[in-house]
Amino acid sequence: MRFLSRFSVLLSIIPSTRLAAYFGFGALLWVVAALLPSFVVVAALYDLVLVFVALLDLVLSPQPREWEVERHVEGKMNLGAPNTVELQARFRGARGLAHAVRIVVRDEPPVEWPVEWDGEPDAASLIARAPLAEGLPAEALPVVARLTLEVPSGETPAVCRAAKSYRVTPTRRGDFRFGPLSARYPTFLGFWYRQLRREAEQAVRVYPDTEAVRRYELRLRQGRLQDMGLHLLRLRGRGTEFESLRDYSRDDEYKAINWKASARRGKLIATNYEIERDQTMLIAIDCGRMMTSLAVAREFKAQTRHTLSPAHSLSQALGQSTLNSMATLEAEEEVAVAGSEVALSKLDCAINAAVLLAHVGAGMGDAVGLLLFADGIKAFVPPRKGRAQTGTIIEALYAAQPQLVEPDYRGAYQYLMSRRLRRSLVITFTDVIDPFASRELINASGALRRHHNALCVTINNRDVMDMASHLPQAMPELYEKAMAQRMLQQRGQALETLRQNGVGVLDVEASELTIATVNRYLDLKSRAAL
């Protein structure tokens, strides 16, 4: 054990290029001494002084055991959103630091997570993703983050500390681990580099992106839901349960006039109706092979003056917000800016949409449930009311992954009907190809329609649509255009067959999926079509 300890100490010492240059100059003196014997004493004295100064620099400089390197990261992260990771370095030596030290800290986030620093990809991340040799895949290289921290001089550990942050964007949901931390710093005279390693592995959970939930709560309190594209303000007066009477305005519909009340008061009176709150919505998500394909979600991110951490945003969705956190939300000042395109699978896009849909449904007083299925039932959350149901649904969604199997629509819908639920709005996130490949979905949805109100939500293929509208410049492009048009025609036939069977259809791009689905739900609810 003592031998291994000494060997590890030797591995932590690396000569610098400065020391190599000084020794190179000493070698040059010996070459001169070979020609002029009088220079032998000078060369020997130079080497002795250089070795003494180098060893003295090694002994008097900070030792690796006197450094403390830490990582601070939230245990819960958002999928497809930048999450902040902070690296800290602190010198805990008894004599303090006589000079400032530049220490380079290297972190190992989970593989395939893009690393960013100050809005630009970190150089280490770019290097890690570039193949070193022809035929070597970029995925074979680890993604690392290297940050340079300037630790100031001082006499106490409270002063001798520095911190910097970088951002990672999780590309998949589930459980992940950060690797160990490594650091390297020069000695005072720059003759050596000392390096250290700390076993700082840390587990994190990646949840569906709850940023839309946070923005929804903020806009709802500000009365600015239309900024998100939501049509919640249209719901007023469009229900079926009587709420109150008011004077008729020019913008009201004629069917809103209460003729009996108008006759009694001698003027036109309109009726306000209240939206029903005791309804049921069940979100069914296909986790089969067709949901494995990538969809590009072009999102609009919000820049806030006082940003909240992903864990805080997630705690809101889980129903754990406090009055103080809500006050912080109301005090935030947001500016909408165009975000970059995020490549997510169709399942991830569907799950992100399902999170906001469940949150809005729970806020409207409806009972919300969840069904995950592929070739069998993967998870089922019975419909319940309350904001806490959103947290239960998120917990069921965070580890869901697509499988290369055919989805069993008939088995999933029969499972729903066997639960003997009251008539509900069943929103199924899936994908279609053509009437033949989607015949099971068409038949099973028709059978479900007799017991529940069915809505099928699909993500259209933007690449295929672009190819179909592209002006070909060569013969291969002409064939590609013809094939794309045929695919779109067959897909349209499958969706039209669903409509003819009484199933609602919503086919949108990935970037519009969340808002379009919530608006469709609000429209159905306002027309008492649930």
Side-chain angles (χ1 to χ4, degrees):
M1 293 296 295
R2 182 177 299 178
F3 171 76
L4 293 178
S5 177
R6 292 179 178 176
F7 185 69
S8 62
V9 171
L10 292 177
L11 289 179
S12 68
I13 304 174
I14 302 176
S16 67
T17 55
R18 178 180 298 181
L19 182 62
Y22 279 114
F23 270 107
F25 183 74
L28 183 62
L29 290 180
W30 281 106
V31 173
V32 175
L35 300 177
L36 301 175
S38 59
F39 269 78
V40 172
V41 177
V42 176
L45 183 62
Y46 174 86
D47 286 345
L48 288 176
V49 173
L50 180 59
V51 170
F52 176 77
V53 174
L55 293 178
L56 190 65
D57 180 38
L58 187 64
V59 173
L60 296 182
S61 296
Q63 303 300 309
R65 64 177 181 274
E66 297 177 320
W67 286 97
E68 187 177 277
V69 181
E70 296 177 341
R71 176 199 308 113
H72 295 278
V73 60
E74 300 288 351
K76 298 176 181 178
M77 293 187 168
N78 284 339
L79 173 68
N83 296 262
T84 302
V85 180
E86 184 182 71
L87 301 180
Q88 290 186 359
R90 177 167 49 188
F91 182 72
R92 302 186 63 88
R95 61 182 183 273
L97 282 177
H99 303 280
V101 176
R102 297 185 61 184
I103 181 170
V104 179
V105 181
R106 167 182 152 166
D107 195 8
E108 297 181 12
V111 180
E112 298 180 358
W113 284 15
V115 178
E116 293 182 355
W117 167 244
D118 285 340
E120 296 293 335
D122 185 63
S125 177
L126 293 178
I127 293 173
R129 292 186 178 275
L132 294 181
E134 186 176 357
L136 180 62
E139 291 77 6
L141 300 172
V143 177
V144 297
R146 289 189 181 94
L147 274 67
T148 302
L149 280 63
E150 299 282 350
V151 180
S153 59
E155 298 180 356
T156 61
V159 177
C160 305
R161 60 186 303 173
K164 273 191 178 181
S165 301
Y166 69 95
R167 292 176 296 277
V168 292
T169 303
T171 56
R172 290 189 298 124
R173 286 166 289 101
D175 296 319
F176 298 90
R177 297 188 69 85
F178 280 79
L181 289 172
S182 303
R184 177 182 294 181
Y185 62 95
T187 54
F188 287 147
L189 297 180
F191 286 165
W192 309 92
Y193 285 105
R194 303 300 304 268
Q195 58 185 18
L196 55 99
R197 179 185 175 93
R198 298 290 183 263
E199 298 299 331
E201 294 188 0
Q202 185 174 355
V204 294
R205 280 186 167 189
V206 179
Y207 285 82
D209 188 10
T210 56
E211 175 67 17
V213 175
R214 189 194 67 82
R215 286 191 290 130
Y216 170 81
E217 287 293 332
L218 178 61
R219 297 303 189 192
L220 180 63
R221 282 160 177 75
Q222 294 176 341
R224 298 165 53 193
L225 285 177
Q226 287 183 338
D227 293 349
M228 292 182 61
L230 292 177
H231 303 156
L232 187 62
L233 297 179
R234 297 182 182 180
L235 294 178
R236 183 179 179 185
R238 294 189 60 182
T240 57
E241 295 184 1
F242 176 81
E243 181 188 19
S244 61
L245 295 175
R246 57 176 174 83
D247 291 340
Y248 176 80
S249 63
R250 183 177 301 177
D251 296 332
D252 290 332
E253 300 177 358
Y254 288 112
K255 64 180 180 180
I257 299 176
N258 190 314
W259 295 106
K260 291 183 179 181
S262 300
R264 287 195 301 267
R265 299 188 182 183
K267 60 179 180 179
L268 290 179
I269 300 298
T271 303
N272 272 337
Y273 293 97
E274 184 180 10
I275 299 298
E276 292 81 1
R277 293 183 176 273
D278 190 18
Q279 296 173 313
T280 304
M281 174 177 60
L282 197 136
I283 304 172
I285 301 180
D286 172 17
C287 300
R289 66 175 182 86
M290 289 185 293
M291 302 297 282
T292 60
S293 59
L294 291 180
V296 177
R298 186 189 294 110
E299 299 181 347
F300 283 87
K301 296 296 182 181
Q303 288 184 348
T304 59
R305 182 169 297 180
H306 303 288
T307 57
L308 294 180
S309 65
H312 184 97
S313 175
L314 183 61
S315 68
Q316 280 185 242
L318 297 178
Q320 300 168 357
S321 301
T322 62
L323 293 177
N324 291 334
S325 63
M326 288 303 177
T328 303
L329 277 177
E330 295 175 358
E332 279 190 319
E333 183 178 340
E334 287 197 358
V335 179
V337 294
S340 59
E341 292 185 344
V342 181
L344 301 175
S345 68
K346 289 188 175 181
L347 177 61
D348 289 326
C349 294
I351 286 178
N352 288 342
V355 170
L356 182 60
L357 180 62
H359 185 75
V360 174
M364 298 293 293
D366 290 340
V368 184
L370 175 70
L371 175 68
L372 299 178
F373 68 95
D375 55 346
I377 305 300
K378 300 184 63 177
F380 178 70
V381 178
R384 289 191 176 87
K385 294 183 179 181
R387 291 294 180 91
Q389 182 72 347
T390 306
T392 304
I393 290 176
I394 291 177
E395 288 290 341
L397 287 173
Y398 97 93
Q401 299 295 339
Q403 300 176 346
L404 294 176
V405 295
E406 289 293 335
D408 184 6
Y409 299 103
R410 185 179 302 276
Y413 291 157
Q414 286 180 351
Y415 177 84
L416 280 182
M417 290 184 284
S418 68
R419 305 290 297 188
R420 299 186 180 278
L421 301 175
R422 57 181 297 184
R423 185 171 183 82
S424 312
L425 171 63
V426 180
I427 302 178
T428 303
F429 290 90
T430 186
D431 199 8
V432 297
I433 300 177
D434 54 54
F436 178 78
S438 305
R439 63 186 184 277
E440 184 178 351
L441 170 63
I442 296 172
N443 296 333
S445 299
L448 177 69
R449 182 68 179 84
R450 294 192 290 268
H451 301 275
H452 300 281
N453 189 5
L455 173 63
C456 183
V457 181
T458 59
I459 302 175
N460 57 37
N461 298 318
R462 195 178 72 179
D463 293 340
V464 178
M465 297 175 64
D466 292 342
M467 190 180 299
S469 60
H470 176 67
L471 182 63
Q473 303 294 331
M475 188 60 65
E477 295 181 0
L478 179 61
Y479 290 138
E480 292 175 354
K481 178 183 178 69
M483 184 58 66
Q485 291 178 342
R486 182 180 179 183
M487 291 176 61
L488 292 179
Q489 181 183 8
Q490 293 177 343
R491 177 185 173 88
Q493 292 175 355
L495 296 177
E496 184 60 30
T497 304
L498 283 172
R499 293 188 182 96
Q500 293 175 359
N501 289 346
V503 179
V505 174
L506 179 63
D507 185 47
V508 294
E509 290 189 9
S511 59
E512 304 171 357
L513 180 66
T514 301
I515 299 301
T517 306
V518 174
N519 280 333
R520 187 63 173 269
Y521 158 73
L522 296 175
D523 181 65
L524 292 173
K525 188 172 181 63
S526 67
R527 293 189 284 109
L530 267 62

